[in-house]
Amino acid sequence: MHTGQRRTTRDQTRRPDRMPGGRLTTDDRQQIATWLGEGLGYAEIGRRLERPASTVMREVTRNGGPDGYQAARADQDTRERARRQKQAEPPAPAMFDDSHGRDPVAVQELADSFTELLVQQGLPRMEARVLTCLNITDSGSLTAADLVQRLRVSPASISHAIAFLEQQGMLRRERDPGERRERYVIDDEIWLRNLIAAVQMNEALAASSRRAAEVLGADTPAGARFETSAELVMLVSSKLQEAMEEWRARLATSR
């Protein structure tokens, strides 16, 4: 009988429309004030609200404590803190150089679409965002602090992304004379270096495939598959080499 009474009480206090972790509402605060007056603890109040006990404890502690908690005042103070925080938050710097009269909406749409394209090509999202940010900056050069501010991410995220992109040959590090901060730079040869890395990977893949064909036997289905793959990869690499030589010649002429 006692168990049944507890189940009934729980069912009556359960709020099926409550999403755990959401912000406390005015009604929630009124309930907290009422239950505090009845002598309930944080854990029981949290259970009734379907919130973590820690959420209730923080709410009460920062708004007068168990003896001084008032729902209306807590609601007002919370709104005021949120307003001050929003006003204090500095606007995010533009991702691009705005000295050319560009449409900021169009540039942001370009940045979003180019980032998505890079992600579809297999680049991790953070690395794609960093690369896009550098590409749409006229200088093609930004510091880690610049990237943190423009992308609104942690320094660690930028550090990991830079290390990956540098390994892929898609940017390089520079340091101005007398400066301690590094700058990350892209230039006209960014995709050329990336293609060089791709050719080197293809050559390694072709060599491994030919070795596999020898081990498995070139006259067997598995060996023949590896041999055919090696031929295709080397054909692609040779065409890439030709294209890169042509591009180098064009760059030399334009300069």
Side-chain angles (χ1 to χ4, degrees), residues 158-198:
I158 296 299
S159 178
H160 290 312
I162 291 296
F164 178 90
L165 293 171
E166 186 179 28
Q167 184 180 23
Q168 299 300 313
M170 305 186 78
L171 56 76
R172 68 177 188 275
R173 299 171 187 254
E174 287 185 355
R175 182 173 291 162
D176 296 332
E179 293 288 336
R180 296 182 60 184
R181 293 188 306 174
E182 290 183 328
R183 304 187 69 85
Y184 308 115
V185 183
I186 59 171
D187 52 35
D188 293 339
E189 296 188 357
I190 173 178
W191 301 114
L192 182 62
R193 289 193 298 272
N194 187 249
L195 287 176
I196 292 174

mmCIF file of all heavy atoms in Angstrom, residues 158-198:
data_model
loop_
_atom_site.group_PDB
_atom_site.id
_atom_site.type_symbol
_atom_site.label_atom_id
_atom_site.label_comp_id
_atom_site.label_asym_id
_atom_site.label_seq_id
_atom_site.Cartn_x
_atom_site.Cartn_y
_atom_site.Cartn_z
ATOM 1 N N ILE A 158 41.506 24.926 -33.022
ATOM 2 C CA ILE A 158 42.299 25.546 -34.088
ATOM 3 C C ILE A 158 43.644 24.847 -34.220
ATOM 4 O O ILE A 158 44.122 24.572 -35.328
ATOM 5 C CB ILE A 158 42.507 27.041 -33.796
ATOM 6 C CG1 ILE A 158 41.168 27.776 -33.817
ATOM 7 C CG2 ILE A 158 43.477 27.653 -34.799
ATOM 8 C CD1 ILE A 158 40.440 27.734 -35.125
ATOM 9 N N SER A 159 44.273 24.534 -33.095
ATOM 10 C CA SER A 159 45.582 23.886 -33.113
ATOM 11 C C SER A 159 45.523 22.544 -33.829
ATOM 12 O O SER A 159 46.388 22.228 -34.668
ATOM 13 C CB SER A 159 46.090 23.699 -31.680
ATOM 14 O OG SER A 159 47.333 23.037 -31.668
ATOM 15 N N HIS A 160 44.507 21.741 -33.514
ATOM 16 C CA HIS A 160 44.362 20.430 -34.165
ATOM 17 C C HIS A 160 44.112 20.591 -35.662
ATOM 18 O O HIS A 160 44.665 19.849 -36.480
ATOM 19 C CB HIS A 160 43.218 19.654 -33.529
ATOM 20 C CG HIS A 160 43.506 19.199 -32.123
ATOM 21 N ND1 HIS A 160 44.671 18.567 -31.762
ATOM 22 C CD2 HIS A 160 42.766 19.277 -30.985
ATOM 23 C CE1 HIS A 160 44.659 18.283 -30.473
ATOM 24 N NE2 HIS A 160 43.515 18.719 -29.977
ATOM 25 N N ALA A 161 43.283 21.560 -36.023
ATOM 26 C CA ALA A 161 42.964 21.770 -37.438
ATOM 27 C C ALA A 161 44.200 22.227 -38.208
ATOM 28 O O ALA A 161 44.462 21.751 -39.326
ATOM 29 C CB ALA A 161 41.840 22.793 -37.575
ATOM 30 N N ILE A 162 44.971 23.136 -37.618
ATOM 31 C CA ILE A 162 46.178 23.633 -38.279
ATOM 32 C C ILE A 162 47.174 22.507 -38.502
ATOM 33 O O ILE A 162 47.785 22.386 -39.574
ATOM 34 C CB ILE A 162 46.820 24.755 -37.440
ATOM 35 C CG1 ILE A 162 45.946 26.007 -37.451
ATOM 36 C CG2 ILE A 162 48.222 25.074 -37.943
ATOM 37 C CD1 ILE A 162 45.777 26.638 -38.815
ATOM 38 N N ALA A 163 47.352 21.655 -37.491
ATOM 39 C CA ALA A 163 48.299 20.544 -37.617
ATOM 40 C C ALA A 163 47.901 19.620 -38.762
ATOM 41 O O ALA A 163 48.752 19.172 -39.541
ATOM 42 C CB ALA A 163 48.364 19.768 -36.299
ATOM 43 N N PHE A 164 46.611 19.345 -38.877
ATOM 44 C CA PHE A 164 46.125 18.465 -39.953
ATOM 45 C C PHE A 164 46.353 19.117 -41.317
ATOM 46 O O PHE A 164 46.867 18.472 -42.248
ATOM 47 C CB PHE A 164 44.643 18.173 -39.734
ATOM 48 C CG PHE A 164 44.030 17.315 -40.804
ATOM 49 C CD1 PHE A 164 44.028 15.929 -40.680
ATOM 50 C CD2 PHE A 164 43.457 17.879 -41.935
ATOM 51 C CE1 PHE A 164 43.458 15.133 -41.660
ATOM 52 C CE2 PHE A 164 42.893 17.090 -42.927
ATOM 53 C CZ PHE A 164 42.893 15.707 -42.780
ATOM 54 N N LEU A 165 45.968 20.381 -41.465
ATOM 55 C CA LEU A 165 46.082 21.058 -42.749
ATOM 56 C C LEU A 165 47.541 21.225 -43.164
ATOM 57 O O LEU A 165 47.876 21.112 -44.346
ATOM 58 C CB LEU A 165 45.396 22.421 -42.680
ATOM 59 C CG LEU A 165 43.871 22.378 -42.515
ATOM 60 C CD1 LEU A 165 43.322 23.767 -42.240
ATOM 61 C CD2 LEU A 165 43.207 21.773 -43.748
ATOM 62 N N GLU A 166 48.403 21.471 -42.190
ATOM 63 C CA GLU A 166 49.825 21.598 -42.498
ATOM 64 C C GLU A 166 50.392 20.268 -42.977
ATOM 65 O O GLU A 166 51.195 20.216 -43.923
ATOM 66 C CB GLU A 166 50.575 22.083 -41.268
ATOM 67 C CG GLU A 166 52.045 22.376 -41.519
ATOM 68 C CD GLU A 166 52.756 22.878 -40.277
ATOM 69 O OE1 GLU A 166 52.335 22.517 -39.156
ATOM 70 O OE2 GLU A 166 53.734 23.617 -40.422
ATOM 71 N N GLN A 167 49.957 19.202 -42.346
ATOM 72 C CA GLN A 167 50.415 17.872 -42.750
ATOM 73 C C GLN A 167 49.985 17.555 -44.177
ATOM 74 O O GLN A 167 50.713 16.879 -44.915
ATOM 75 C CB GLN A 167 49.859 16.818 -41.787
ATOM 76 C CG GLN A 167 50.370 15.410 -42.065
ATOM 77 C CD GLN A 167 49.791 14.406 -41.093
ATOM 78 O OE1 GLN A 167 48.735 14.626 -40.511
ATOM 79 N NE2 GLN A 167 50.473 13.306 -40.891
ATOM 80 N N GLN A 168 48.829 18.061 -44.573
ATOM 81 C CA GLN A 168 48.325 17.831 -45.922
ATOM 82 C C GLN A 168 48.908 18.810 -46.940
ATOM 83 O O GLN A 168 48.552 18.763 -48.122
ATOM 84 C CB GLN A 168 46.793 17.946 -45.928
ATOM 85 C CG GLN A 168 46.084 16.949 -45.040
ATOM 86 C CD GLN A 168 46.370 15.517 -45.440
ATOM 87 O OE1 GLN A 168 46.302 15.174 -46.621
ATOM 88 N NE2 GLN A 168 46.685 14.676 -44.466
ATOM 89 N N GLY A 169 49.770 19.703 -46.483
ATOM 90 C CA GLY A 169 50.380 20.660 -47.400
ATOM 91 C C GLY A 169 49.433 21.763 -47.841
ATOM 92 O O GLY A 169 49.654 22.392 -48.879
ATOM 93 N N MET A 170 48.398 22.036 -47.051
ATOM 94 C CA MET A 170 47.383 22.998 -47.460
ATOM 95 C C MET A 170 47.589 24.378 -46.842
ATOM 96 O O MET A 170 46.858 25.322 -47.142
ATOM 97 C CB MET A 170 45.989 22.465 -47.120
ATOM 98 C CG MET A 170 45.723 21.097 -47.726
ATOM 99 S SD MET A 170 44.043 20.500 -47.488
ATOM 100 C CE MET A 170 43.202 21.454 -48.759
ATOM 101 N N LEU A 171 48.569 24.517 -45.966
ATOM 102 C CA LEU A 171 48.966 25.827 -45.450
ATOM 103 C C LEU A 171 50.381 25.712 -44.906
ATOM 104 O O LEU A 171 50.928 24.622 -44.787
ATOM 105 C CB LEU A 171 47.991 26.338 -44.382
ATOM 106 C CG LEU A 171 47.712 25.458 -43.145
ATOM 107 C CD1 LEU A 171 48.847 25.491 -42.129
ATOM 108 C CD2 LEU A 171 46.439 25.926 -42.464
ATOM 109 N N ARG A 172 50.956 26.844 -44.569
ATOM 110 C CA ARG A 172 52.297 26.852 -43.971
ATOM 111 C C ARG A 172 52.326 27.870 -42.836
ATOM 112 O O ARG A 172 51.477 28.754 -42.749
ATOM 113 C CB ARG A 172 53.368 27.183 -45.003
ATOM 114 C CG ARG A 172 53.322 28.597 -45.526
ATOM 115 C CD ARG A 172 54.468 28.871 -46.494
ATOM 116 N NE ARG A 172 54.551 30.268 -46.876
ATOM 117 C CZ ARG A 172 53.856 30.817 -47.846
ATOM 118 N NH1 ARG A 172 53.021 30.074 -48.570
ATOM 119 N NH2 ARG A 172 53.994 32.101 -48.121
ATOM 120 N N ARG A 173 53.300 27.718 -41.967
ATOM 121 C CA ARG A 173 53.473 28.626 -40.830
ATOM 122 C C ARG A 173 54.519 29.681 -41.167
ATOM 123 O O ARG A 173 55.535 29.378 -41.799
ATOM 124 C CB ARG A 173 53.921 27.860 -39.577
ATOM 125 C CG ARG A 173 52.941 26.803 -39.106
ATOM 126 C CD ARG A 173 53.563 25.958 -38.017
ATOM 127 N NE ARG A 173 52.711 24.827 -37.653
ATOM 128 C CZ ARG A 173 52.000 24.759 -36.535
ATOM 129 N NH1 ARG A 173 52.050 25.752 -35.658
ATOM 130 N NH2 ARG A 173 51.249 23.704 -36.277
ATOM 131 N N GLU A 174 54.257 30.893 -40.708
ATOM 132 C CA GLU A 174 55.228 31.969 -40.857
ATOM 133 C C GLU A 174 55.294 32.751 -39.559
ATOM 134 O O GLU A 174 54.343 32.743 -38.771
ATOM 135 C CB GLU A 174 54.842 32.917 -42.006
ATOM 136 C CG GLU A 174 55.054 32.352 -43.382
ATOM 137 C CD GLU A 174 54.774 33.377 -44.470
ATOM 138 O OE1 GLU A 174 54.331 34.495 -44.118
ATOM 139 O OE2 GLU A 174 54.997 33.063 -45.650
ATOM 140 N N ARG A 175 56.396 33.431 -39.343
ATOM 141 C CA ARG A 175 56.547 34.283 -38.168
ATOM 142 C C ARG A 175 57.235 35.569 -38.603
ATOM 143 O O ARG A 175 58.328 35.551 -39.148
ATOM 144 C CB ARG A 175 57.355 33.571 -37.087
ATOM 145 C CG ARG A 175 57.507 34.385 -35.801
ATOM 146 C CD ARG A 175 58.165 33.545 -34.723
ATOM 147 N NE ARG A 175 57.286 32.473 -34.275
ATOM 148 C CZ ARG A 175 57.694 31.402 -33.605
ATOM 149 N NH1 ARG A 175 58.976 31.262 -33.319
ATOM 150 N NH2 ARG A 175 56.829 30.484 -33.225
ATOM 151 N N ASP A 176 56.549 36.702 -38.370
ATOM 152 C CA ASP A 176 57.125 37.990 -38.734
ATOM 153 C C ASP A 176 58.363 38.265 -37.886
ATOM 154 O O ASP A 176 58.423 37.866 -36.716
ATOM 155 C CB ASP A 176 56.101 39.109 -38.526
ATOM 156 C CG ASP A 176 54.894 38.956 -39.434
ATOM 157 O OD1 ASP A 176 55.064 38.374 -40.517
ATOM 158 O OD2 ASP A 176 53.793 39.400 -39.050
ATOM 159 N N PRO A 177 59.355 38.933 -38.457
ATOM 160 C CA PRO A 177 60.573 39.256 -37.686
ATOM 161 C C PRO A 177 60.235 40.007 -36.399
ATOM 162 O O PRO A 177 59.482 40.986 -36.413
ATOM 163 C CB PRO A 177 61.372 40.141 -38.654
ATOM 164 C CG PRO A 177 60.893 39.738 -40.016
ATOM 165 C CD PRO A 177 59.445 39.406 -39.850
ATOM 166 N N GLY A 178 60.773 39.520 -35.298
ATOM 167 C CA GLY A 178 60.544 40.159 -34.016
ATOM 168 C C GLY A 178 59.227 39.799 -33.356
ATOM 169 O O GLY A 178 58.929 40.285 -32.263
ATOM 170 N N GLU A 179 58.427 38.970 -34.005
ATOM 171 C CA GLU A 179 57.129 38.566 -33.463
ATOM 172 C C GLU A 179 57.202 37.131 -32.944
ATOM 173 O O GLU A 179 57.887 36.286 -33.503
ATOM 174 C CB GLU A 179 56.044 38.654 -34.533
ATOM 175 C CG GLU A 179 55.730 40.075 -34.986
ATOM 176 C CD GLU A 179 54.977 40.855 -33.933
ATOM 177 O OE1 GLU A 179 54.310 40.217 -33.090
ATOM 178 O OE2 GLU A 179 55.054 42.096 -33.946
ATOM 179 N N ARG A 180 56.477 36.867 -31.858
ATOM 180 C CA ARG A 180 56.435 35.510 -31.298
ATOM 181 C C ARG A 180 55.285 34.710 -31.877
ATOM 182 O O ARG A 180 55.337 33.487 -31.934
ATOM 183 C CB ARG A 180 56.297 35.587 -29.776
ATOM 184 C CG ARG A 180 57.484 36.238 -29.075
ATOM 185 C CD ARG A 180 57.303 36.224 -27.577
ATOM 186 N NE ARG A 180 57.190 34.866 -27.063
ATOM 187 C CZ ARG A 180 56.943 34.565 -25.792
ATOM 188 N NH1 ARG A 180 56.775 35.530 -24.907
ATOM 189 N NH2 ARG A 180 56.856 33.309 -25.395
ATOM 190 N N ARG A 181 54.228 35.409 -32.292
ATOM 191 C CA ARG A 181 53.049 34.703 -32.789
ATOM 192 C C ARG A 181 53.267 34.185 -34.203
ATOM 193 O O ARG A 181 53.823 34.870 -35.053
ATOM 194 C CB ARG A 181 51.823 35.620 -32.773
ATOM 195 C CG ARG A 181 51.357 36.010 -31.392
ATOM 196 C CD ARG A 181 50.036 36.749 -31.478
ATOM 197 N NE ARG A 181 50.105 37.886 -32.390
ATOM 198 C CZ ARG A 181 49.055 38.633 -32.732
ATOM 199 N NH1 ARG A 181 47.863 38.347 -32.242
ATOM 200 N NH2 ARG A 181 49.190 39.659 -33.542
ATOM 201 N N GLU A 182 52.815 32.976 -34.426
ATOM 202 C CA GLU A 182 52.865 32.409 -35.767
ATOM 203 C C GLU A 182 51.643 32.843 -36.559
ATOM 204 O O GLU A 182 50.572 33.077 -36.002
ATOM 205 C CB GLU A 182 52.911 30.880 -35.699
ATOM 206 C CG GLU A 182 54.208 30.309 -35.180
ATOM 207 C CD GLU A 182 54.209 28.801 -35.209
ATOM 208 O OE1 GLU A 182 53.126 28.199 -35.031
ATOM 209 O OE2 GLU A 182 55.285 28.221 -35.393
ATOM 210 N N ARG A 183 51.834 32.921 -37.851
ATOM 211 C CA ARG A 183 50.725 33.167 -38.765
ATOM 212 C C ARG A 183 50.586 31.954 -39.664
ATOM 213 O O ARG A 183 51.571 31.315 -40.033
ATOM 214 C CB ARG A 183 50.965 34.416 -39.610
ATOM 215 C CG ARG A 183 51.221 35.675 -38.804
ATOM 216 C CD ARG A 183 51.275 36.908 -39.689
ATOM 217 N NE ARG A 183 49.966 37.211 -40.244
ATOM 218 C CZ ARG A 183 49.032 37.937 -39.603
ATOM 219 N NH1 ARG A 183 49.290 38.418 -38.399
ATOM 220 N NH2 ARG A 183 47.878 38.179 -40.163
ATOM 221 N N TYR A 184 49.346 31.654 -40.023
ATOM 222 C CA TYR A 184 49.079 30.521 -40.897
ATOM 223 C C TYR A 184 48.683 31.066 -42.260
ATOM 224 O O TYR A 184 47.778 31.904 -42.369
ATOM 225 C CB TYR A 184 48.002 29.639 -40.296
ATOM 226 C CG TYR A 184 48.326 29.264 -38.865
ATOM 227 C CD1 TYR A 184 47.540 29.697 -37.806
ATOM 228 C CD2 TYR A 184 49.459 28.515 -38.579
ATOM 229 C CE1 TYR A 184 47.865 29.384 -36.504
ATOM 230 C CE2 TYR A 184 49.796 28.196 -37.275
ATOM 231 C CZ TYR A 184 48.992 28.630 -36.240
ATOM 232 O OH TYR A 184 49.327 28.326 -34.944
ATOM 233 N N VAL A 185 49.358 30.584 -43.279
ATOM 234 C CA VAL A 185 49.304 31.234 -44.588
ATOM 235 C C VAL A 185 48.909 30.237 -45.669
ATOM 236 O O VAL A 185 49.358 29.085 -45.665
ATOM 237 C CB VAL A 185 50.680 31.845 -44.937
ATOM 238 C CG1 VAL A 185 50.621 32.583 -46.265
ATOM 239 C CG2 VAL A 185 51.141 32.776 -43.820
ATOM 240 N N ILE A 186 48.058 30.704 -46.580
ATOM 241 C CA ILE A 186 47.801 29.976 -47.814
ATOM 242 C C ILE A 186 48.206 30.878 -48.974
ATOM 243 O O ILE A 186 48.321 32.090 -48.817
ATOM 244 C CB ILE A 186 46.322 29.572 -47.958
ATOM 245 C CG1 ILE A 186 45.424 30.812 -47.930
ATOM 246 C CG2 ILE A 186 45.914 28.596 -46.879
ATOM 247 C CD1 ILE A 186 43.990 30.525 -48.280
ATOM 248 N N ASP A 187 48.422 30.297 -50.139
ATOM 249 C CA ASP A 187 48.811 31.099 -51.296
ATOM 250 C C ASP A 187 48.267 30.452 -52.563
ATOM 251 O O ASP A 187 47.443 29.539 -52.504
ATOM 252 C CB ASP A 187 50.341 31.247 -51.366
ATOM 253 C CG ASP A 187 51.053 29.893 -51.295
ATOM 254 O OD1 ASP A 187 50.508 28.900 -51.826
ATOM 255 O OD2 ASP A 187 52.137 29.824 -50.688
ATOM 256 N N ASP A 188 48.758 30.930 -53.720
ATOM 257 C CA ASP A 188 48.253 30.429 -54.996
ATOM 258 C C ASP A 188 48.605 28.965 -55.236
ATOM 259 O O ASP A 188 48.047 28.334 -56.138
ATOM 260 C CB ASP A 188 48.808 31.272 -56.155
ATOM 261 C CG ASP A 188 48.269 32.697 -56.132
ATOM 262 O OD1 ASP A 188 47.212 32.901 -55.501
ATOM 263 O OD2 ASP A 188 48.897 33.588 -56.731
ATOM 264 N N GLU A 189 49.558 28.432 -54.474
ATOM 265 C CA GLU A 189 50.004 27.062 -54.706
ATOM 266 C C GLU A 189 49.416 26.078 -53.697
ATOM 267 O O GLU A 189 49.877 24.942 -53.577
ATOM 268 C CB GLU A 189 51.532 26.998 -54.657
ATOM 269 C CG GLU A 189 52.191 27.807 -55.768
ATOM 270 C CD GLU A 189 53.682 27.578 -55.824
ATOM 271 O OE1 GLU A 189 54.195 26.837 -54.973
ATOM 272 O OE2 GLU A 189 54.330 28.137 -56.727
ATOM 273 N N ILE A 190 48.378 26.511 -52.966
ATOM 274 C CA ILE A 190 47.789 25.647 -51.946
ATOM 275 C C ILE A 190 47.303 24.323 -52.537
ATOM 276 O O ILE A 190 47.605 23.247 -52.019
ATOM 277 C CB ILE A 190 46.631 26.365 -51.224
ATOM 278 C CG1 ILE A 190 45.910 25.389 -50.293
ATOM 279 C CG2 ILE A 190 45.666 27.011 -52.173
ATOM 280 C CD1 ILE A 190 44.786 26.032 -49.506
ATOM 281 N N TRP A 191 46.563 24.398 -53.633
ATOM 282 C CA TRP A 191 46.040 23.153 -54.211
ATOM 283 C C TRP A 191 47.134 22.384 -54.940
ATOM 284 O O TRP A 191 47.065 21.160 -55.041
ATOM 285 C CB TRP A 191 44.882 23.474 -55.159
ATOM 286 C CG TRP A 191 43.770 24.189 -54.456
ATOM 287 C CD1 TRP A 191 43.343 25.466 -54.665
ATOM 288 C CD2 TRP A 191 42.968 23.680 -53.383
ATOM 289 N NE1 TRP A 191 42.327 25.782 -53.802
ATOM 290 C CE2 TRP A 191 42.070 24.712 -53.010
ATOM 291 C CE3 TRP A 191 42.919 22.473 -52.708
ATOM 292 C CZ2 TRP A 191 41.144 24.553 -51.988
ATOM 293 C CZ3 TRP A 191 41.992 22.317 -51.690
ATOM 294 C CH2 TRP A 191 41.113 23.342 -51.343
ATOM 295 N N LEU A 192 48.145 23.108 -55.426
ATOM 296 C CA LEU A 192 49.266 22.432 -56.071
ATOM 297 C C LEU A 192 49.991 21.543 -55.066
ATOM 298 O O LEU A 192 50.301 20.383 -55.355
ATOM 299 C CB LEU A 192 50.229 23.466 -56.663
ATOM 300 C CG LEU A 192 51.431 22.907 -57.425
ATOM 301 C CD1 LEU A 192 50.977 22.097 -58.626
ATOM 302 C CD2 LEU A 192 52.358 24.040 -57.861
ATOM 303 N N ARG A 193 50.259 22.077 -53.878
ATOM 304 C CA ARG A 193 50.916 21.269 -52.848
ATOM 305 C C ARG A 193 50.037 20.095 -52.425
ATOM 306 O O ARG A 193 50.543 19.004 -52.144
ATOM 307 C CB ARG A 193 51.250 22.150 -51.642
ATOM 308 C CG ARG A 193 52.370 23.141 -51.892
ATOM 309 C CD ARG A 193 52.862 23.746 -50.592
ATOM 310 N NE ARG A 193 51.814 24.493 -49.919
ATOM 311 C CZ ARG A 193 51.551 25.777 -50.145
ATOM 312 N NH1 ARG A 193 52.254 26.451 -51.036
ATOM 313 N NH2 ARG A 193 50.584 26.386 -49.481
ATOM 314 N N ASN A 194 48.747 20.317 -52.381
ATOM 315 C CA ASN A 194 47.841 19.238 -52.027
ATOM 316 C C ASN A 194 47.873 18.132 -53.078
ATOM 317 O O ASN A 194 47.844 16.943 -52.752
ATOM 318 C CB ASN A 194 46.421 19.791 -51.864
ATOM 319 C CG ASN A 194 45.452 18.754 -51.328
ATOM 320 O OD1 ASN A 194 44.562 18.302 -52.032
ATOM 321 N ND2 ASN A 194 45.617 18.355 -50.080
ATOM 322 N N LEU A 195 47.956 18.528 -54.347
ATOM 323 C CA LEU A 195 48.024 17.530 -55.423
ATOM 324 C C LEU A 195 49.347 16.775 -55.378
ATOM 325 O O LEU A 195 49.396 15.569 -55.670
ATOM 326 C CB LEU A 195 47.854 18.214 -56.784
ATOM 327 C CG LEU A 195 46.441 18.707 -57.115
ATOM 328 C CD1 LEU A 195 46.440 19.456 -58.436
ATOM 329 C CD2 LEU A 195 45.464 17.529 -57.170
ATOM 330 N N ILE A 196 50.427 17.477 -55.032
ATOM 331 C CA ILE A 196 51.722 16.798 -54.900
ATOM 332 C C ILE A 196 51.641 15.720 -53.821
ATOM 333 O O ILE A 196 52.134 14.597 -53.995
ATOM 334 C CB ILE A 196 52.829 17.816 -54.573
ATOM 335 C CG1 ILE A 196 53.069 18.725 -55.774
ATOM 336 C CG2 ILE A 196 54.111 17.112 -54.164
ATOM 337 C CD1 ILE A 196 54.042 19.862 -55.502
ATOM 338 N N ALA A 197 51.012 16.054 -52.710
ATOM 339 C CA ALA A 197 50.838 15.066 -51.639
ATOM 340 C C ALA A 197 49.987 13.901 -52.119
ATOM 341 O O ALA A 197 50.242 12.735 -51.772
ATOM 342 C CB ALA A 197 50.196 15.737 -50.420
ATOM 343 N N ALA A 198 48.966 14.204 -52.933
ATOM 344 C CA ALA A 198 48.104 13.143 -53.460
ATOM 345 C C ALA A 198 48.878 12.222 -54.395
ATOM 346 O O ALA A 198 48.700 10.990 -54.373
ATOM 347 C CB ALA A 198 46.907 13.753 -54.193
#
